[in-house]
Amino acid sequence: MERFSSAMSRRRFLYTAGATTASSIFLKGCLGNPPAELVGGRTQAAPVADADSGVKAGQEPEVKTAKLGYFPIVESAPLIIAKEKGFFAKHGMGEIALDKQANWGAARDNVKIGASGGGIDGGQWQMPMPYLISEGIITDNVKIPMFVLAQLNTQGNGIAIASKHIGKNIGLKLADQTAFFSGLKSQGGQFKAAYTFPRANQEFWIRYWLAAGGIDPDTDVELLTVPTAQTVADMKRGAMDAFSTGDPWPARIVADKTGFVAALTAEIWKAHPEEYFAMRKDWVDSHPKATKAILKAIMEAQQWCDDFNNRAEMAKILAGREYFNMPEAVIAEPLMGKYNLGERTIDDRSMAVLYWKDSKGSVSYPYKSHDLWFLTESVRWNFLPKETLTNAKRLIDQVNREDLWKQAAQELGLAASDIPSSTSRGVEEFFDGVKFDPENPQAYLNSLKIKKA
Ligand code: CA
């Protein structure tokens, strides 16, 4: 009987697997994948610079592949769309492998060993991870030089709060809520705020939001790192009060009635820098044309992603089992700027994740002034020594390769108006009125009331 049922389930498995393969092939066709001869180059011996591939003479990439890490949050959309809509293939990189990372620590470890060691060549990063890896700060003092090559997105992140705090006025502005936080602390139930990787974007957004409201993130609350897979469950069982993450997770937390969203990062800092595309320096140095081919594909994907007419299709692609593996509806709404925050709603496309252009300029171009903010904020919280600011220009010039972005943009034939003329986006302003002038980061630090530096 046992043998019979296992034979049956095996047969059923084979049948199901066959059906899935067939339907996924069908689906891929619908998603506009390029024909096989462009993808693999295996079915015919056409040169890479085939007329159909869109690769211009002299720009043929050295290889067709690279292994890039990504995460199931909207930041990775340019990478996934570049693959699914055929932009990588168009630029001769049809064999790019996208590798979903279990968590940020795994991505760090994978880039440390590189694709040749079974890891990755680069991919999606929070800031300032490429700097911390380049300097050996989070890689056991082993320096793995990396290049920041493009910004993937702005906005599209939020701070979710557990349901038990609904109705307690926990919103963008916390100025009148210091008693709430100190009350929790005195009762022995200190407010716990979590993120999936320390000392990068997600922790910075939580810290900025709390400190702007007069809450000292180092003494008034408890900050903790929680593995990605545990975040929603931990919030559900009350192990944490707040959680900072990328779309569609805040919407999912609201949909699950696990919590509400106190603030979108777009409210904390409109058009803020978010996540980046960065690769190992040794890979870029040995594949300069392939690097530019990848950048051109990402730029075209970003333009595609920024068209709201494409966002329903984008939601469908991202939701797919091989990518985010979640209900399409959960992703579709935030992609359209429709946020059910639990206690309020937002319906404003300018608040959604953006990939190509925002109210301040280019999204894709990696402004050096933003790298400087991430380093300055690291100094603010004593994550990096204050001498970092003295050496910041040298460090940023080493890691940020906006020059390669510009070369790729020119090869792509972008309009001059799409190519920033300065490496600085100028003075930035936060929701609490604080300003960051990249010409004077020390003045920013001086202006902040809560800091460790
Ligand atoms: Ca993020």
Side-chain angles (χ1 to χ4, degrees), residues 73-75 104 124-126 153 155-158 201-202 205 244-247 265 272 274-275:
I73 42 178
V74 293
E75 285 84 341
W104 293 98
Q124 172 189 354
W125 300 98
Q126 294 193 65
N153 71 300
Q155 309 185 153
N157 282 242
N201 296 44
Q202 247 66 60
W205 304 143
S244 166
T245 185
D247 287 337
T265 52
H272 64 83
E274 185 53 28
E275 290 180 19

Side-chain angles (χ1 to χ4, degrees), residues 158-162 191 235 241-245 249-250 253-254 259-263:
I159 294 170
I161 309 289
F191 190 88
M235 186 170 261
D241 299 285
F243 171 48
S244 166
T245 185
W249 292 100
I253 284 165
V254 175
F260 65 101
V261 178

Side-chain angles (χ1 to χ4, degrees), residues 4-25:
F4 173 75
S5 65
S6 74
M8 270 304 283
S9 57
R10 177 170 155 75
R11 195 168 301 155
R12 190 172 301 147
F13 168 76
L14 289 173
Y15 172 76
T16 316
T20 308
T21 311
S23 62
S24 67
I25 287 167

Side-chain angles (χ1 to χ4, degrees), residues 172-451:
L172 177 63
K173 292 181 180 169
L174 298 172
D176 300 326
Q177 297 305 318
T178 49
F180 168 78
F181 288 91
S182 59
L184 285 178
K185 191 180 176 182
S186 64
Q187 290 157 25
Q190 202 168 24
F191 190 88
K192 292 187 180 70
Y195 31 77
T196 55
F197 193 78
R199 305 184 170 193
N201 296 44
Q202 247 66 60
E203 181 172 353
F204 289 142
W205 304 143
I206 283 204
R207 281 178 172 267
Y208 195 96
W209 168 67
L210 289 168
I215 314 296
D216 188 327
D218 285 301
T219 55
D220 297 339
V221 301
E222 188 183 330
L223 297 177
L224 58 156
T225 305
V226 173
T228 315
Q230 254 171 261
T231 48
V232 176
D234 273 13
M235 186 170 261
K236 218 167 227 164
R237 67 180 178 88
M240 63 165 116
D241 299 285
F243 171 48
S244 166
T245 185
D247 287 337
W249 292 100
R252 202 166 187 186
I253 284 165
V254 175
D256 289 354
K257 303 210 185 310
T258 304
F260 65 101
V261 178
L264 296 180
T265 52
E267 296 178 292
I268 295 172
W269 180 4
K270 187 93 175 158
H272 64 83
E274 185 53 28
E275 290 180 19
Y276 286 79
F277 176 67
M279 293 189 79
R280 286 174 60 113
K281 173 187 184 292
D282 55 6
W283 196 93
V284 172
D285 284 346
S286 53
H287 306 94
K289 291 180 181 178
T291 301
K292 280 186 268 182
I294 292 172
L295 281 175
K296 284 182 272 188
I298 289 176
M299 287 178 197
E300 290 200 302
Q302 288 182 297
Q303 293 175 56
W304 189 93
C305 290
D306 235 21
D307 183 345
F308 280 82
N309 295 319
N310 291 333
R311 291 211 172 181
E313 185 184 351
M314 183 174 150
K316 183 172 283 183
I317 296 170
L318 297 183
R321 195 152 48 155
E322 68 274 48
Y323 295 117
F324 294 10
N325 191 23
M326 59 175 68
E328 190 185 320
V330 178
I331 303 178
E333 295 232 318
L335 281 180
M336 296 307 286
K338 291 183 198 291
Y339 288 95
N340 175 2
L341 305 183
E343 294 195 318
R344 61 196 169 107
T345 58
I346 288 176
D347 186 356
D348 179 353
R349 289 179 180 186
S350 78
M351 300 299 280
V353 60
L354 299 172
Y355 298 97
W356 184 245
K357 275 189 172 172
D358 58 29
S359 54
K360 305 270 184 66
S362 175
V363 174
S364 178
Y365 176 74
Y367 288 100
K368 286 184 174 178
S369 58
H370 288 160
D371 296 15
L372 180 61
W373 181 80
F374 282 106
L375 295 178
T376 306
E377 203 68 357
S378 302
V379 171
R380 172 187 185 181
W381 300 118
N382 206 20
F383 299 158
L384 292 174
K386 61 178 186 298
E387 299 75 56
T388 307
L389 291 186
T390 321
N391 303 324
K393 191 187 178 306
R394 180 192 55 80
L395 192 57
I396 292 170
D397 286 345
Q398 253 170 36
V399 177
N400 182 306
R401 293 301 305 272
E402 55 80 36
D403 57 317
L404 294 178
W405 186 97
K406 278 182 178 158
Q407 288 173 27
Q410 274 147 8
E411 287 184 9
L412 198 56
L414 284 188
S417 57
D418 280 351
I419 304 177
S421 53
S422 171
T423 60
S424 170
R425 200 172 73 169
V427 177
E428 304 286 345
E429 186 170 355
F430 299 81
F431 78 103
D432 56 341
V434 166
K435 290 193 169 79
F436 171 73
D437 181 354
E439 299 303 314
N440 192 354
Q442 190 58 49
Y444 165 80
L445 288 177
N446 295 344
S447 76
L448 297 162
K449 289 188 195 79
I450 297 178
K451 62 198 165 207

